Amino acid sequence: WFMFLLLFGIGVAGAGQILTFALVRDINRPAITSTAVALNNMGVVAGGVVFQPLVGFLLQISDHSYVSSGAVVYPESAYHFGLIMMPLCFLTGLFVSWFCIKETHGKPRHLTL
């Protein structure tokens, strides 16, 4: 059940990402909406570019690794330390979405006449 809850939480959190495209459209002028959507999409890809090396760096500095058969092995506690960024970023995103984003009710902020 615990694994089910974790995977369900990942699905719920990931499903919210599609809403960012609508939000970007609503809060930007029509002349720059395409650029803003592209920048939003780049943020998703940049997450992998930033977090993979960051988690690896945090694993390396955990000082709990050992070498077995020529491969570096990290204990569970090192992964807890290395992956702590994931829930912190999730909580940051939750905070930003609750307190920093204003509802537009599907109406663009910049209307063209």
Side-chain angles (χ1 to χ4, degrees), residues 31-83:
I32 63 165
T33 297
S34 297
T35 304
V37 168
L39 186 64
N40 177 49
N41 197 40
M42 185 187 72
V44 175
V45 177
V49 171
V50 171
F51 283 110
Q52 287 180 3
L54 180 62
V55 169
F57 174 73
L58 293 174
L59 279 172
Q60 288 178 344
I61 65 169
S62 68
D63 278 342
H64 299 293
S65 63
Y66 58 93
V67 178
S68 175
S69 301
V72 179
V73 179
Y74 298 100
E76 183 180 348
S77 61
Y79 283 97
H80 285 238
F81 179 70
L83 294 171

